[in-house]
Amino acid sequence: MRAGLVQTVAEGELKTKRRVSRFAGSSSSRSGPNGGGENGGGGPQPPENDQQNIDKAKIVAWFVLLIVLMTFGGLVGAYVVVATNSAIEWKPFTLPSQVWVSTAVILISSGFYEAGKKALPREKIVSTRVYFVAAAVFGFAFIASQFLAWLALSERGFYLSGNPYAGFFYLLTAAHALHVFGGIVALGAIITRTWYPTSIGSEMLYRLRLVRAVGWYWHFIGGIWLVLLAALGFWK
């Protein structure tokens, strides 16, 4: 799947770079005597050099993913250690139904995001808006379902203290919900950036790279949720 994603983005970038050259050429032809266009003799100039074309979004995304991996790796490691110590206070319980709703919601959100990512290079601006907004809405729905799960547990008498299993449930799900919220903020930036169409090739290239980078984070957070669900639901 990763190879397919990279290939898709690479193809999108190649097409966009061709658009950059085309737009640069058209701008040059209108630039007049000083721009080498109608009255000038110069040819199309590249809009940016290779040093300015560094994929900063990719670098930031990998750095953030490393931090997230270390954070949840430590939390899950601590959970496994405590769960295998057979402490008397360790009292697992049946997960609330809202947890399964959360799972379905976050998977649907990832699906909408992927659809928006595919619609963007095809310049389907309306579809891109709808899919990314839907992904953000389902992200908020996921956080809301977590609040409902916490409320259901408190009504059953399970609180943060007194039962290490309950404490880990609150800690792990709260940490994950916080990271989902961070992803929603990034989604908001994407929605704002891609709300209107663009005829500038370099801008489209930037949008493609930004969407790819945030997509890595969004799908990675969805995968982290599945790991947490497996630990809390089946490693008790």
Side-chain angles (χ1 to χ4, degrees):
M1 180 178 294
R2 181 179 176 183
L5 174 60
V6 173
Q7 182 178 3
T8 301
V9 174
E11 292 175 352
E13 291 190 2
L14 179 58
K15 293 178 181 178
T16 307
K17 287 178 180 178
R18 291 173 178 171
R19 295 179 60 204
V20 171
S21 299
R22 186 174 73 249
F23 293 133
S26 62
S27 298
S28 177
S29 65
R30 295 190 300 266
S31 58
N34 296 327
E38 294 177 353
N39 298 320
Q45 299 297 320
E48 55 187 5
N49 57 38
D50 292 338
Q51 292 182 349
Q52 293 174 328
N53 204 26
I54 297 175
D55 191 350
K56 296 180 181 179
K58 180 179 179 180
I59 298 174
V60 173
W62 281 111
F63 179 73
V64 171
L65 290 180
L66 179 61
I67 294 177
V68 173
L69 180 61
M70 293 175 62
T71 299
F72 283 98
L75 291 174
V76 173
Y79 172 86
V80 171
V81 169
V82 176
T84 55
N85 282 339
S86 302
I88 298 177
E89 297 84 2
W90 186 265
K91 299 177 182 179
F93 48 77
T94 302
L95 297 180
S97 59
Q98 289 83 358
V99 169
W100 307 106
V101 174
S102 298
T103 303
V105 167
I106 200 168
L107 292 177
I108 294 173
S109 178
S110 288
F112 276 124
Y113 189 96
E114 192 66 17
K117 183 174 72 68
K118 291 180 179 179
L120 178 61
R122 298 172 184 171
E123 300 184 9
K124 297 181 178 180
I125 191 65
V126 176
S127 297
T128 301
R129 291 179 196 164
V130 171
Y131 288 136
F132 283 147
V133 169
V137 169
F138 273 84
F140 277 115
F142 175 85
I143 295 177
S145 66
Q146 293 301 287
F147 277 107
L148 294 177
W150 300 333
L151 181 60
L153 287 182
S154 64
E155 291 177 349
R156 289 163 56 182
F158 297 110
Y159 303 101
L160 188 61
S161 60
N163 180 356
Y165 178 79
F168 269 108
F169 180 90
Y170 283 107
L171 178 62
L172 292 172
T173 55
H176 186 268
L178 182 62
H179 284 77
V180 171
F181 181 77
I184 293 174
V185 173
L187 255 173
I190 287 178
I191 293 170
T192 302
R193 189 90 187 198
T194 61
W195 193 260
Y196 296 104
T198 180
S199 59
I200 303 174
S202 58
E203 170 63 19
M204 178 60 76
L205 179 60
Y206 178 82
R207 294 181 183 187
L208 288 171
R209 289 176 169 178
L210 181 63
V211 168
R212 178 186 61 181
V214 175
W216 288 343
Y217 178 86
W218 195 249
H219 298 319
F220 187 74
I221 289 297
I224 290 291
W225 172 253
L226 297 179
V227 173
L228 298 182
L229 180 64
L232 293 169
F234 305 102
W235 194 315
K236 299 181 180 180

